[in-house]
Short mmCIF file of all heavy atoms in Angstrom, two decimals:
data_model
loop_
_atom_site.label_atom_id
_atom_site.label_comp_id
_atom_site.label_asym_id
_atom_site.label_seq_id
_atom_site.Cartn_x
_atom_site.Cartn_y
_atom_site.Cartn_z
N LEU B 322 16.21 11.68 -24.77
CA LEU B 322 16.54 11.00 -26.03
C LEU B 322 15.76 9.69 -26.15
O LEU B 322 15.31 9.33 -27.23
CB LEU B 322 18.05 10.74 -26.11
CG LEU B 322 18.93 11.98 -26.31
CD1 LEU B 322 20.40 11.63 -26.15
CD2 LEU B 322 18.69 12.61 -27.68
N GLY B 323 15.59 9.02 -25.01
CA GLY B 323 14.79 7.80 -25.00
C GLY B 323 13.33 8.09 -25.35
O GLY B 323 12.72 7.39 -26.16
N ASN B 324 12.78 9.16 -24.76
CA ASN B 324 11.40 9.57 -25.08
C ASN B 324 11.24 9.80 -26.58
O ASN B 324 10.27 9.37 -27.19
CB ASN B 324 11.04 10.91 -24.39
CG ASN B 324 10.87 10.78 -22.90
OD1 ASN B 324 11.05 11.73 -22.15
ND2 ASN B 324 10.52 9.57 -22.44
N MET B 325 12.23 10.52 -27.14
CA MET B 325 12.13 10.86 -28.56
C MET B 325 12.11 9.59 -29.41
O MET B 325 11.30 9.45 -30.33
CB MET B 325 13.33 11.73 -28.98
CG MET B 325 13.31 13.12 -28.39
SD MET B 325 14.93 13.88 -28.66
CE MET B 325 14.96 15.05 -27.31
N GLN B 326 13.01 8.66 -29.08
CA GLN B 326 13.07 7.43 -29.86
C GLN B 326 11.76 6.66 -29.75
O GLN B 326 11.21 6.20 -30.76
CB GLN B 326 14.25 6.55 -29.40
CG GLN B 326 14.41 5.29 -30.23
CD GLN B 326 14.55 5.60 -31.73
OE1 GLN B 326 15.48 6.28 -32.16
NE2 GLN B 326 13.58 5.16 -32.53
N ASN B 327 11.23 6.58 -28.54
CA ASN B 327 9.94 5.89 -28.36
C ASN B 327 8.84 6.60 -29.13
O ASN B 327 7.95 5.96 -29.71
CB ASN B 327 9.57 5.82 -26.88
CG ASN B 327 10.47 4.86 -26.13
OD1 ASN B 327 11.10 3.99 -26.73
ND2 ASN B 327 10.56 5.02 -24.82
N HIS B 328 8.90 7.90 -29.12
CA HIS B 328 7.89 8.71 -29.82
C HIS B 328 7.93 8.41 -31.33
O HIS B 328 6.91 8.13 -31.95
CB HIS B 328 8.16 10.19 -29.55
CG HIS B 328 7.00 11.09 -29.85
ND1 HIS B 328 6.84 12.30 -29.24
CD2 HIS B 328 5.97 10.96 -30.72
CE1 HIS B 328 5.73 12.87 -29.71
NE2 HIS B 328 5.19 12.08 -30.62
N VAL B 329 9.15 8.46 -31.89
CA VAL B 329 9.30 8.19 -33.33
C VAL B 329 8.84 6.77 -33.66
O VAL B 329 8.13 6.53 -34.63
CB VAL B 329 10.76 8.39 -33.77
CG1 VAL B 329 10.96 7.96 -35.23
CG2 VAL B 329 11.17 9.85 -33.59
N THR B 330 9.22 5.82 -32.80
CA THR B 330 8.85 4.43 -33.03
C THR B 330 7.33 4.27 -33.01
O THR B 330 6.75 3.59 -33.85
CB THR B 330 9.48 3.53 -31.96
OG1 THR B 330 10.88 3.80 -31.92
CG2 THR B 330 9.27 2.06 -32.30
N ALA B 331 6.69 4.92 -32.03
CA ALA B 331 5.25 4.77 -31.87
C ALA B 331 4.47 5.37 -33.04
O ALA B 331 3.46 4.82 -33.48
CB ALA B 331 4.80 5.41 -30.56
N VAL B 332 4.94 6.50 -33.52
CA VAL B 332 4.20 7.20 -34.57
C VAL B 332 4.65 6.75 -35.96
O VAL B 332 3.87 6.80 -36.92
CB VAL B 332 4.37 8.74 -34.39
CG1 VAL B 332 3.60 9.50 -35.47
CG2 VAL B 332 3.87 9.16 -33.03
N GLY B 333 5.88 6.30 -36.05
CA GLY B 333 6.45 5.90 -37.35
C GLY B 333 7.24 7.06 -37.93
O GLY B 333 6.75 8.17 -37.98
N LYS B 334 8.49 6.78 -38.36
CA LYS B 334 9.36 7.89 -38.73
C LYS B 334 8.83 8.66 -39.94
O LYS B 334 9.10 9.84 -40.10
CB LYS B 334 10.80 7.40 -38.97
CG LYS B 334 11.00 6.44 -40.12
CD LYS B 334 12.50 6.18 -40.26
CE LYS B 334 12.87 5.44 -41.52
NZ LYS B 334 12.57 4.01 -41.55
N GLU B 335 8.03 8.00 -40.78
CA GLU B 335 7.49 8.71 -41.95
C GLU B 335 6.30 9.59 -41.57
O GLU B 335 5.86 10.42 -42.35
CB GLU B 335 7.12 7.74 -43.07
CG GLU B 335 6.13 6.63 -42.72
CD GLU B 335 6.71 5.55 -41.80
OE1 GLU B 335 7.94 5.30 -41.86
OE2 GLU B 335 5.95 4.96 -41.01
N ASN B 336 5.83 9.43 -40.33
CA ASN B 336 4.63 10.19 -39.92
C ASN B 336 4.93 11.33 -38.97
O ASN B 336 4.03 12.02 -38.52
CB ASN B 336 3.64 9.24 -39.22
CG ASN B 336 3.02 8.26 -40.18
OD1 ASN B 336 2.73 8.62 -41.33
ND2 ASN B 336 2.84 7.03 -39.75
N ILE B 337 6.21 11.53 -38.65
CA ILE B 337 6.49 12.52 -37.61
C ILE B 337 7.53 13.54 -38.08
O ILE B 337 8.50 13.19 -38.75
CB ILE B 337 6.94 11.83 -36.30
CG1 ILE B 337 6.95 12.84 -35.15
CG2 ILE B 337 8.30 11.15 -36.44
CD1 ILE B 337 7.03 12.19 -33.77
N ASP B 338 7.26 14.79 -37.77
CA ASP B 338 8.24 15.85 -37.95
C ASP B 338 8.65 16.29 -36.55
O ASP B 338 7.91 16.99 -35.87
CB ASP B 338 7.62 17.01 -38.74
CG ASP B 338 8.63 18.11 -39.04
OD1 ASP B 338 9.76 18.03 -38.51
OD2 ASP B 338 8.31 19.03 -39.80
#
Side-chain angles (χ1 to χ4, degrees):
Chain B
L322 290 171
N324 289 154
M325 291 168 205
Q326 183 55 62
N327 289 340
H328 197 155
V329 174
T330 308
V332 180
K334 64 175 191 285
E335 57 288 331
N336 290 323
I337 192 166
D338 184 352

